[in-house]
Amino acid sequence: MLFLAFATAGCQWTSQGKNAQGVQLFQSGQYQQAAQVFQQAIYQSPTGADGYYNLAAAYHQLGKLNRSSTDLDQAELLYNKCLDYNANHADCYRALAVLLVDKNQPEKAQRLLEGWFNENPGNPAAKVELARLHEEFGDRQGAKEYLQQALTVDPYDTRALAALGRIQETEGNAAQALANYQRSLYRNSLQPEVAARVATLRTAVNAGLQTTPAGDTRTVTSPFNPVR
């Protein structure tokens, strides 16, 4: 049993190394080569959710670049495989929802995220993603309602606060946007885009000036970035 434990640990270490190697290829735009390395990581750790997520991300990018429905279908299968091994893999839920929208299946993305929240009512991440989905389809009020629900679960959820602040800033409510950006930074100070909006809004609010709304501050990373 000790031998098996050490063997498993060694296999996991090797798999992590392959994932890290694949991430470097992915970040340099070599998606096909990254997919090959992520496949090796899965071979070495067949139950590792991150390997399936990473491979799905590579196929997702290939599908978008090549307009390949086959690659997008493969990405969907692999994202679901990831969730089979980690039923609360936030990055995977986020990326799968993006993929479903890419495949013109927003209703399926909605059901996916609603199911995630129903199974994990103490996790606000699903509500933040539902807000993103609604805003992308022009339902700003629905997006705000989902963000408020997320903040009911966790009043200092950084992504919910940043997203709500961005919507409020877009609507011209600079003072309230500033307050929510500041609350987001209080929990996580490593958000340069949010920090930049705080600096801009603080000056504007004090001077009574109009501001240019921020870009997307709802999430720090791409929805389908691989993980090491």
Side-chain angles (χ1 to χ4, degrees), residues 117-178:
F117 178 78
N118 291 336
E119 292 175 5
N120 300 274
N123 182 353
K127 292 296 185 183
V128 176
E129 295 309 320
L130 281 163
R132 171 187 285 275
L133 187 63
H134 277 257
E135 188 177 1
E136 286 176 355
F137 284 91
D139 182 11
R140 187 181 294 168
Q141 183 58 39
K144 288 195 292 185
E145 290 174 3
Y146 277 118
L147 292 171
Q148 292 291 357
Q149 291 174 29
L151 292 172
T152 298
V153 176
D154 180 359
Y156 281 92
D157 183 85
T158 57
R159 295 181 66 243
L161 287 166
L164 186 57
R166 194 192 63 82
I167 292 176
Q168 290 164 333
E169 185 179 356
T170 300
E171 294 178 338
N173 191 346
Q176 190 59 54
L178 175 60

Short mmCIF file of all heavy atoms in Angstrom, two decimals, residues 117-178:
data_model
loop_
_atom_site.label_atom_id
_atom_site.label_comp_id
_atom_site.label_asym_id
_atom_site.label_seq_id
_atom_site.Cartn_x
_atom_site.Cartn_y
_atom_site.Cartn_z
N PHE A 117 -25.78 26.15 -9.37
CA PHE A 117 -26.13 26.89 -8.16
C PHE A 117 -27.04 26.07 -7.25
O PHE A 117 -26.88 26.06 -6.04
CB PHE A 117 -26.82 28.21 -8.52
CG PHE A 117 -27.24 28.99 -7.30
CD1 PHE A 117 -26.31 29.72 -6.58
CD2 PHE A 117 -28.54 28.97 -6.85
CE1 PHE A 117 -26.67 30.41 -5.44
CE2 PHE A 117 -28.92 29.67 -5.71
CZ PHE A 117 -27.97 30.39 -5.01
N ASN A 118 -28.01 25.37 -7.83
CA ASN A 118 -28.94 24.58 -7.02
C ASN A 118 -28.22 23.49 -6.23
O ASN A 118 -28.62 23.15 -5.12
CB ASN A 118 -30.01 23.97 -7.91
CG ASN A 118 -30.97 25.02 -8.46
OD1 ASN A 118 -31.13 26.10 -7.89
ND2 ASN A 118 -31.60 24.72 -9.59
N GLU A 119 -27.16 22.96 -6.81
CA GLU A 119 -26.39 21.93 -6.12
C GLU A 119 -25.42 22.52 -5.11
O GLU A 119 -24.97 21.81 -4.19
CB GLU A 119 -25.62 21.08 -7.14
CG GLU A 119 -26.53 20.24 -8.03
CD GLU A 119 -25.76 19.50 -9.11
OE1 GLU A 119 -24.51 19.58 -9.10
OE2 GLU A 119 -26.39 18.86 -9.96
N ASN A 120 -25.08 23.81 -5.27
CA ASN A 120 -24.12 24.47 -4.37
C ASN A 120 -24.63 25.86 -4.01
O ASN A 120 -24.05 26.87 -4.42
CB ASN A 120 -22.75 24.57 -5.05
CG ASN A 120 -22.16 23.24 -5.42
OD1 ASN A 120 -21.51 22.58 -4.62
ND2 ASN A 120 -22.41 22.81 -6.67
N PRO A 121 -25.74 25.94 -3.25
CA PRO A 121 -26.34 27.25 -2.97
C PRO A 121 -25.44 28.18 -2.17
O PRO A 121 -25.68 29.39 -2.14
CB PRO A 121 -27.60 26.89 -2.18
CG PRO A 121 -27.34 25.52 -1.63
CD PRO A 121 -26.49 24.83 -2.65
N GLY A 122 -24.41 27.66 -1.53
CA GLY A 122 -23.50 28.51 -0.79
C GLY A 122 -22.35 29.06 -1.62
O GLY A 122 -21.48 29.76 -1.10
N ASN A 123 -22.36 28.77 -2.93
CA ASN A 123 -21.29 29.22 -3.83
C ASN A 123 -21.85 30.28 -4.76
O ASN A 123 -22.70 29.98 -5.60
CB ASN A 123 -20.75 28.03 -4.62
CG ASN A 123 -19.60 28.40 -5.54
OD1 ASN A 123 -19.27 29.57 -5.69
ND2 ASN A 123 -18.99 27.41 -6.16
N PRO A 124 -21.40 31.53 -4.65
CA PRO A 124 -21.97 32.61 -5.48
C PRO A 124 -21.48 32.61 -6.92
O PRO A 124 -22.01 33.36 -7.75
CB PRO A 124 -21.50 33.87 -4.76
CG PRO A 124 -20.21 33.47 -4.11
CD PRO A 124 -20.39 32.03 -3.70
N ALA A 125 -20.48 31.80 -7.25
CA ALA A 125 -19.86 31.86 -8.59
C ALA A 125 -20.88 31.61 -9.69
O ALA A 125 -20.84 32.24 -10.75
CB ALA A 125 -18.71 30.87 -8.69
N ALA A 126 -21.81 30.67 -9.46
CA ALA A 126 -22.80 30.36 -10.49
C ALA A 126 -23.68 31.57 -10.79
O ALA A 126 -24.03 31.83 -11.95
CB ALA A 126 -23.65 29.18 -10.06
N LYS A 127 -24.05 32.32 -9.77
CA LYS A 127 -24.88 33.51 -9.97
C LYS A 127 -24.12 34.58 -10.75
O LYS A 127 -24.71 35.30 -11.57
CB LYS A 127 -25.37 34.06 -8.63
CG LYS A 127 -26.35 33.15 -7.91
CD LYS A 127 -27.64 32.97 -8.70
CE LYS A 127 -28.67 32.17 -7.93
NZ LYS A 127 -29.90 31.94 -8.71
N VAL A 128 -22.82 34.70 -10.50
CA VAL A 128 -22.02 35.68 -11.23
C VAL A 128 -21.99 35.30 -12.71
O VAL A 128 -22.12 36.16 -13.59
CB VAL A 128 -20.59 35.76 -10.66
CG1 VAL A 128 -19.73 36.71 -11.49
CG2 VAL A 128 -20.62 36.23 -9.21
N GLU A 129 -21.85 34.01 -12.99
CA GLU A 129 -21.83 33.58 -14.39
C GLU A 129 -23.19 33.74 -15.05
O GLU A 129 -23.28 34.08 -16.23
CB GLU A 129 -21.36 32.13 -14.48
CG GLU A 129 -19.93 31.91 -14.03
CD GLU A 129 -18.95 32.86 -14.69
OE1 GLU A 129 -19.08 33.13 -15.90
OE2 GLU A 129 -18.04 33.36 -13.99
N LEU A 130 -24.26 33.51 -14.30
CA LEU A 130 -25.60 33.75 -14.84
C LEU A 130 -25.79 35.23 -15.15
O LEU A 130 -26.42 35.59 -16.16
CB LEU A 130 -26.65 33.27 -13.84
CG LEU A 130 -26.89 31.76 -13.82
CD1 LEU A 130 -27.62 31.34 -12.54
CD2 LEU A 130 -27.69 31.32 -15.04
N ALA A 131 -25.25 36.09 -14.31
CA ALA A 131 -25.32 37.53 -14.57
C ALA A 131 -24.60 37.88 -15.86
O ALA A 131 -25.10 38.66 -16.68
CB ALA A 131 -24.72 38.30 -13.39
N ARG A 132 -23.43 37.32 -16.05
CA ARG A 132 -22.66 37.55 -17.28
C ARG A 132 -23.48 37.13 -18.50
O ARG A 132 -23.56 37.85 -19.50
CB ARG A 132 -21.35 36.77 -17.24
CG ARG A 132 -20.59 36.78 -18.57
CD ARG A 132 -19.39 35.86 -18.52
NE ARG A 132 -18.31 36.43 -17.76
CZ ARG A 132 -17.41 37.27 -18.26
NH1 ARG A 132 -17.51 37.68 -19.50
NH2 ARG A 132 -16.44 37.73 -17.51
N LEU A 133 -24.09 35.96 -18.40
CA LEU A 133 -24.87 35.44 -19.52
C LEU A 133 -26.02 36.38 -19.86
O LEU A 133 -26.26 36.70 -21.03
CB LEU A 133 -25.40 34.05 -19.15
CG LEU A 133 -26.11 33.26 -20.24
CD1 LEU A 133 -25.16 32.94 -21.39
CD2 LEU A 133 -26.69 31.97 -19.66
N HIS A 134 -26.73 36.86 -18.85
CA HIS A 134 -27.87 37.74 -19.08
C HIS A 134 -27.42 39.09 -19.64
O HIS A 134 -28.08 39.65 -20.54
CB HIS A 134 -28.67 37.94 -17.79
CG HIS A 134 -29.63 36.83 -17.53
ND1 HIS A 134 -30.99 36.93 -17.75
CD2 HIS A 134 -29.43 35.56 -17.10
CE1 HIS A 134 -31.58 35.79 -17.45
NE2 HIS A 134 -30.66 34.94 -17.05
N GLU A 135 -26.31 39.61 -19.14
CA GLU A 135 -25.86 40.90 -19.65
C GLU A 135 -25.43 40.80 -21.11
O GLU A 135 -25.69 41.70 -21.90
CB GLU A 135 -24.71 41.44 -18.79
CG GLU A 135 -24.34 42.86 -19.17
CD GLU A 135 -23.26 43.44 -18.28
OE1 GLU A 135 -22.78 42.74 -17.37
OE2 GLU A 135 -22.89 44.61 -18.52
N GLU A 136 -24.79 39.70 -21.46
CA GLU A 136 -24.34 39.53 -22.83
C GLU A 136 -25.52 39.49 -23.80
O GLU A 136 -25.37 39.82 -24.98
CB GLU A 136 -23.50 38.26 -22.95
CG GLU A 136 -22.10 38.41 -22.35
CD GLU A 136 -21.30 37.13 -22.37
OE1 GLU A 136 -21.86 36.09 -22.78
OE2 GLU A 136 -20.12 37.17 -22.00
N PHE A 137 -26.69 39.11 -23.31
CA PHE A 137 -27.87 39.06 -24.16
C PHE A 137 -28.80 40.25 -23.92
O PHE A 137 -29.98 40.22 -24.26
CB PHE A 137 -28.61 37.74 -23.97
CG PHE A 137 -27.92 36.59 -24.65
CD1 PHE A 137 -26.99 35.83 -23.99
CD2 PHE A 137 -28.18 36.30 -25.99
CE1 PHE A 137 -26.33 34.79 -24.62
CE2 PHE A 137 -27.54 35.27 -26.63
CZ PHE A 137 -26.60 34.50 -25.95
N GLY A 138 -28.24 41.30 -23.31
CA GLY A 138 -28.95 42.56 -23.21
C GLY A 138 -29.88 42.71 -22.03
O GLY A 138 -30.56 43.72 -21.91
N ASP A 139 -29.90 41.74 -21.13
CA ASP A 139 -30.79 41.80 -19.97
C ASP A 139 -30.00 42.33 -18.77
O ASP A 139 -29.62 41.58 -17.88
CB ASP A 139 -31.38 40.42 -19.68
CG ASP A 139 -32.35 40.42 -18.51
OD1 ASP A 139 -32.72 41.52 -18.04
OD2 ASP A 139 -32.73 39.32 -18.06
N ARG A 140 -29.78 43.63 -18.75
CA ARG A 140 -28.98 44.23 -17.69
C ARG A 140 -29.66 44.12 -16.34
O ARG A 140 -29.01 43.87 -15.31
CB ARG A 140 -28.69 45.69 -18.02
CG ARG A 140 -27.72 46.36 -17.07
CD ARG A 140 -27.52 47.81 -17.44
NE ARG A 140 -26.84 47.94 -18.73
CZ ARG A 140 -26.75 49.08 -19.40
NH1 ARG A 140 -27.29 50.19 -18.92
NH2 ARG A 140 -26.10 49.13 -20.54
N GLN A 141 -30.98 44.27 -16.30
CA GLN A 141 -31.70 44.18 -15.03
C GLN A 141 -31.60 42.77 -14.46
O GLN A 141 -31.39 42.59 -13.26
CB GLN A 141 -33.17 44.58 -15.22
CG GLN A 141 -33.99 44.58 -13.94
CD GLN A 141 -33.42 45.52 -12.87
OE1 GLN A 141 -32.96 46.62 -13.20
NE2 GLN A 141 -33.45 45.09 -11.63
N GLY A 142 -31.76 41.78 -15.33
CA GLY A 142 -31.62 40.40 -14.87
C GLY A 142 -30.22 40.14 -14.36
O GLY A 142 -30.04 39.43 -13.36
N ALA A 143 -29.21 40.71 -15.03
CA ALA A 143 -27.83 40.55 -14.57
C ALA A 143 -27.65 41.12 -13.17
O ALA A 143 -27.04 40.50 -12.30
CB ALA A 143 -26.88 41.23 -15.55
N LYS A 144 -28.21 42.30 -12.93
CA LYS A 144 -28.08 42.93 -11.61
C LYS A 144 -28.77 42.07 -10.54
O LYS A 144 -28.26 41.95 -9.41
CB LYS A 144 -28.67 44.34 -11.64
CG LYS A 144 -27.81 45.33 -12.40
CD LYS A 144 -28.20 46.78 -12.14
CE LYS A 144 -29.57 47.10 -12.70
NZ LYS A 144 -29.89 48.54 -12.55
N GLU A 145 -29.91 41.49 -10.88
CA GLU A 145 -30.61 40.65 -9.90
C GLU A 145 -29.76 39.44 -9.51
O GLU A 145 -29.68 39.07 -8.33
CB GLU A 145 -31.96 40.23 -10.47
CG GLU A 145 -32.95 41.37 -10.58
CD GLU A 145 -34.24 40.98 -11.29
OE1 GLU A 145 -34.37 39.77 -11.64
OE2 GLU A 145 -35.11 41.84 -11.48
N TYR A 146 -29.12 38.81 -10.50
CA TYR A 146 -28.28 37.66 -10.19
C TYR A 146 -27.07 38.08 -9.34
O TYR A 146 -26.65 37.35 -8.43
CB TYR A 146 -27.81 36.98 -11.47
CG TYR A 146 -28.82 36.01 -12.03
CD1 TYR A 146 -29.37 36.21 -13.29
CD2 TYR A 146 -29.22 34.88 -11.32
CE1 TYR A 146 -30.30 35.31 -13.82
CE2 TYR A 146 -30.15 33.99 -11.83
CZ TYR A 146 -30.68 34.21 -13.08
OH TYR A 146 -31.60 33.33 -13.59
N LEU A 147 -26.51 39.25 -9.63
CA LEU A 147 -25.37 39.72 -8.84
C LEU A 147 -25.77 40.02 -7.41
O LEU A 147 -25.02 39.73 -6.47
CB LEU A 147 -24.75 40.96 -9.50
CG LEU A 147 -24.06 40.70 -10.84
CD1 LEU A 147 -23.67 42.02 -11.51
CD2 LEU A 147 -22.83 39.81 -10.66
N GLN A 148 -26.97 40.57 -7.22
CA GLN A 148 -27.47 40.82 -5.87
C GLN A 148 -27.66 39.49 -5.13
O GLN A 148 -27.38 39.38 -3.93
CB GLN A 148 -28.77 41.61 -5.91
CG GLN A 148 -28.62 43.04 -6.41
CD GLN A 148 -27.86 43.94 -5.45
OE1 GLN A 148 -27.46 43.53 -4.36
NE2 GLN A 148 -27.65 45.19 -5.86
N GLN A 149 -28.14 38.47 -5.84
CA GLN A 149 -28.29 37.15 -5.22
C GLN A 149 -26.93 36.59 -4.82
O GLN A 149 -26.79 35.98 -3.74
CB GLN A 149 -28.99 36.20 -6.19
CG GLN A 149 -30.46 36.53 -6.45
CD GLN A 149 -31.06 35.66 -7.52
OE1 GLN A 149 -30.65 34.53 -7.73
NE2 GLN A 149 -32.06 36.18 -8.22
N ALA A 150 -25.92 36.78 -5.68
CA ALA A 150 -24.57 36.32 -5.34
C ALA A 150 -24.06 37.02 -4.09
O ALA A 150 -23.44 36.40 -3.22
CB ALA A 150 -23.63 36.58 -6.52
N LEU A 151 -24.35 38.32 -3.98
CA LEU A 151 -23.88 39.08 -2.82
C LEU A 151 -24.67 38.77 -1.57
O LEU A 151 -24.20 39.01 -0.46
CB LEU A 151 -23.94 40.58 -3.14
CG LEU A 151 -22.94 41.03 -4.21
CD1 LEU A 151 -23.18 42.47 -4.63
CD2 LEU A 151 -21.50 40.87 -3.70
N THR A 152 -25.86 38.22 -1.72
CA THR A 152 -26.60 37.74 -0.56
C THR A 152 -25.88 36.54 0.05
O THR A 152 -25.84 36.35 1.26
CB THR A 152 -28.04 37.35 -0.96
OG1 THR A 152 -28.70 38.51 -1.45
CG2 THR A 152 -28.81 36.79 0.23
N VAL A 153 -25.30 35.71 -0.83
CA VAL A 153 -24.54 34.55 -0.37
C VAL A 153 -23.22 34.98 0.24
O VAL A 153 -22.81 34.52 1.30
CB VAL A 153 -24.30 33.57 -1.54
CG1 VAL A 153 -23.42 32.40 -1.10
CG2 VAL A 153 -25.62 33.06 -2.09
N ASP A 154 -22.52 35.89 -0.45
CA ASP A 154 -21.22 36.39 0.02
C ASP A 154 -21.14 37.88 -0.27
O ASP A 154 -20.91 38.29 -1.41
CB ASP A 154 -20.07 35.66 -0.68
CG ASP A 154 -18.70 36.15 -0.22
OD1 ASP A 154 -18.64 37.06 0.63
OD2 ASP A 154 -17.68 35.61 -0.71
N PRO A 155 -21.37 38.74 0.74
CA PRO A 155 -21.39 40.19 0.52
C PRO A 155 -20.09 40.77 -0.01
O PRO A 155 -20.06 41.91 -0.48
CB PRO A 155 -21.70 40.76 1.91
CG PRO A 155 -22.34 39.63 2.65
CD PRO A 155 -21.69 38.39 2.13
N TYR A 156 -18.99 40.01 0.05
CA TYR A 156 -17.71 40.51 -0.43
C TYR A 156 -17.15 39.65 -1.57
O TYR A 156 -15.93 39.60 -1.77
CB TYR A 156 -16.70 40.58 0.72
CG TYR A 156 -16.92 41.81 1.59
CD1 TYR A 156 -17.74 41.75 2.71
CD2 TYR A 156 -16.32 43.03 1.27
CE1 TYR A 156 -17.95 42.87 3.49
CE2 TYR A 156 -16.54 44.15 2.06
CZ TYR A 156 -17.35 44.06 3.16
OH TYR A 156 -17.56 45.19 3.94
N ASP A 157 -18.03 39.01 -2.32
CA ASP A 157 -17.55 38.26 -3.48
C ASP A 157 -16.94 39.26 -4.48
O ASP A 157 -17.63 40.16 -4.99
CB ASP A 157 -18.70 37.50 -4.14
CG ASP A 157 -18.22 36.67 -5.31
OD1 ASP A 157 -17.77 35.53 -5.09
OD2 ASP A 157 -18.29 37.16 -6.46
N THR A 158 -15.67 39.09 -4.77
CA THR A 158 -14.95 40.11 -5.55
C THR A 158 -15.49 40.24 -6.97
O THR A 158 -15.63 41.36 -7.48
CB THR A 158 -13.45 39.78 -5.61
OG1 THR A 158 -13.27 38.46 -6.15
CG2 THR A 158 -12.84 39.82 -4.22
N ARG A 159 -15.80 39.14 -7.61
CA ARG A 159 -16.25 39.20 -9.00
C ARG A 159 -17.65 39.79 -9.08
O ARG A 159 -17.95 40.57 -9.99
CB ARG A 159 -16.21 37.82 -9.63
CG ARG A 159 -14.78 37.27 -9.76
CD ARG A 159 -14.74 35.90 -10.41
NE ARG A 159 -15.16 35.99 -11.81
CZ ARG A 159 -16.24 35.38 -12.30
NH1 ARG A 159 -17.02 34.68 -11.51
NH2 ARG A 159 -16.54 35.49 -13.58
N ALA A 160 -18.52 39.46 -8.14
CA ALA A 160 -19.87 40.02 -8.14
C ALA A 160 -19.83 41.52 -7.91
O ALA A 160 -20.54 42.29 -8.58
CB ALA A 160 -20.73 39.33 -7.07
N LEU A 161 -19.00 41.96 -6.98
CA LEU A 161 -18.90 43.39 -6.69
C LEU A 161 -18.32 44.16 -7.89
O LEU A 161 -18.81 45.24 -8.24
CB LEU A 161 -18.02 43.62 -5.46
CG LEU A 161 -18.65 43.23 -4.12
CD1 LEU A 161 -17.59 43.17 -3.03
CD2 LEU A 161 -19.76 44.21 -3.74
N ALA A 162 -17.29 43.60 -8.51
CA ALA A 162 -16.70 44.27 -9.67
C ALA A 162 -17.69 44.34 -10.83
O ALA A 162 -17.80 45.36 -11.51
CB ALA A 162 -15.43 43.54 -10.11
N ALA A 163 -18.44 43.24 -11.03
CA ALA A 163 -19.42 43.22 -12.12
C ALA A 163 -20.54 44.21 -11.86
O ALA A 163 -20.97 44.94 -12.75
CB ALA A 163 -19.98 41.81 -12.28
N LEU A 164 -21.03 44.24 -10.62
CA LEU A 164 -22.10 45.17 -10.29
C LEU A 164 -21.61 46.62 -10.40
O LEU A 164 -22.33 47.49 -10.92
CB LEU A 164 -22.61 44.90 -8.87
CG LEU A 164 -23.84 45.70 -8.42
CD1 LEU A 164 -25.01 45.48 -9.37
CD2 LEU A 164 -24.23 45.33 -6.99
N GLY A 165 -20.39 46.87 -9.96
CA GLY A 165 -19.82 48.20 -10.09
C GLY A 165 -19.72 48.63 -11.54
O GLY A 165 -20.02 49.78 -11.88
N ARG A 166 -19.33 47.72 -12.41
CA ARG A 166 -19.21 48.05 -13.82
C ARG A 166 -20.57 48.42 -14.43
O ARG A 166 -20.68 49.37 -15.20
CB ARG A 166 -18.60 46.88 -14.58
CG ARG A 166 -18.12 47.24 -15.98
CD ARG A 166 -17.80 46.00 -16.78
NE ARG A 166 -19.01 45.20 -16.97
CZ ARG A 166 -19.91 45.46 -17.92
NH1 ARG A 166 -19.75 46.47 -18.74
NH2 ARG A 166 -20.97 44.70 -18.04
N ILE A 167 -21.61 47.64 -14.07
CA ILE A 167 -22.94 47.95 -14.59
C ILE A 167 -23.41 49.31 -14.06
O ILE A 167 -23.95 50.13 -14.80
CB ILE A 167 -23.95 46.85 -14.19
CG1 ILE A 167 -23.61 45.55 -14.93
CG2 ILE A 167 -25.38 47.28 -14.52
CD1 ILE A 167 -24.48 44.37 -14.53
N GLN A 168 -23.19 49.55 -12.77
CA GLN A 168 -23.60 50.84 -12.19
C GLN A 168 -22.85 51.99 -12.82
O GLN A 168 -23.43 53.05 -13.07
CB GLN A 168 -23.37 50.80 -10.67
CG GLN A 168 -24.32 49.86 -9.95
CD GLN A 168 -23.88 49.53 -8.55
OE1 GLN A 168 -22.68 49.55 -8.24
NE2 GLN A 168 -24.82 49.21 -7.68
N GLU A 169 -21.58 51.79 -13.12
CA GLU A 169 -20.82 52.85 -13.78
C GLU A 169 -21.37 53.10 -15.18
O GLU A 169 -21.50 54.25 -15.61
CB GLU A 169 -19.34 52.45 -13.85
CG GLU A 169 -18.46 53.54 -14.40
CD GLU A 169 -16.98 53.14 -14.45
OE1 GLU A 169 -16.64 52.04 -13.98
OE2 GLU A 169 -16.20 53.94 -14.97
N THR A 170 -21.71 52.03 -15.90
CA THR A 170 -22.28 52.17 -17.23
C THR A 170 -23.60 52.95 -17.19
O THR A 170 -23.91 53.73 -18.09
CB THR A 170 -22.52 50.78 -17.86
OG1 THR A 170 -21.26 50.09 -17.96
CG2 THR A 170 -23.14 50.88 -19.24
N GLU A 171 -24.35 52.75 -16.11
CA GLU A 171 -25.64 53.42 -15.95
C GLU A 171 -25.49 54.84 -15.40
O GLU A 171 -26.49 55.54 -15.21
CB GLU A 171 -26.54 52.60 -15.04
CG GLU A 171 -26.94 51.26 -15.65
CD GLU A 171 -27.79 50.42 -14.72
OE1 GLU A 171 -27.74 50.64 -13.49
OE2 GLU A 171 -28.52 49.53 -15.21
N GLY A 172 -24.27 55.28 -15.13
CA GLY A 172 -24.04 56.64 -14.67
C GLY A 172 -24.05 56.81 -13.17
O GLY A 172 -23.99 57.93 -12.66
N ASN A 173 -24.12 55.71 -12.41
CA ASN A 173 -24.13 55.78 -10.96
C ASN A 173 -22.70 55.61 -10.45
O ASN A 173 -22.32 54.58 -9.90
CB ASN A 173 -25.04 54.69 -10.38
CG ASN A 173 -25.30 54.87 -8.90
OD1 ASN A 173 -24.61 55.65 -8.23
ND2 ASN A 173 -26.28 54.15 -8.38
N ALA A 174 -21.90 56.66 -10.62
CA ALA A 174 -20.48 56.58 -10.32
C ALA A 174 -20.19 56.36 -8.84
O ALA A 174 -19.29 55.59 -8.48
CB ALA A 174 -19.77 57.84 -10.80
N ALA A 175 -20.95 57.00 -7.97
CA ALA A 175 -20.69 56.89 -6.53
C ALA A 175 -20.91 55.46 -6.04
O ALA A 175 -20.10 54.92 -5.28
CB ALA A 175 -21.58 57.86 -5.76
N GLN A 176 -22.01 54.83 -6.48
CA GLN A 176 -22.29 53.46 -6.04
C GLN A 176 -21.30 52.49 -6.68
O GLN A 176 -20.87 51.52 -6.05
CB GLN A 176 -23.72 53.07 -6.41
CG GLN A 176 -24.17 51.75 -5.79
CD GLN A 176 -24.10 51.77 -4.28
OE1 GLN A 176 -24.66 52.65 -3.62
NE2 GLN A 176 -23.38 50.82 -3.70
N ALA A 177 -20.95 52.75 -7.95
CA ALA A 177 -19.94 51.91 -8.60
C ALA A 177 -18.62 51.96 -7.84
O ALA A 177 -17.98 50.93 -7.60
CB ALA A 177 -19.74 52.37 -10.04
N LEU A 178 -18.22 53.18 -7.44
CA LEU A 178 -16.98 53.33 -6.69
C LEU A 178 -17.02 52.54 -5.39
O LEU A 178 -16.06 51.86 -5.03
CB LEU A 178 -16.74 54.82 -6.40
CG LEU A 178 -15.53 55.16 -5.52
CD1 LEU A 178 -14.24 54.67 -6.15
CD2 LEU A 178 -15.47 56.67 -5.27
#
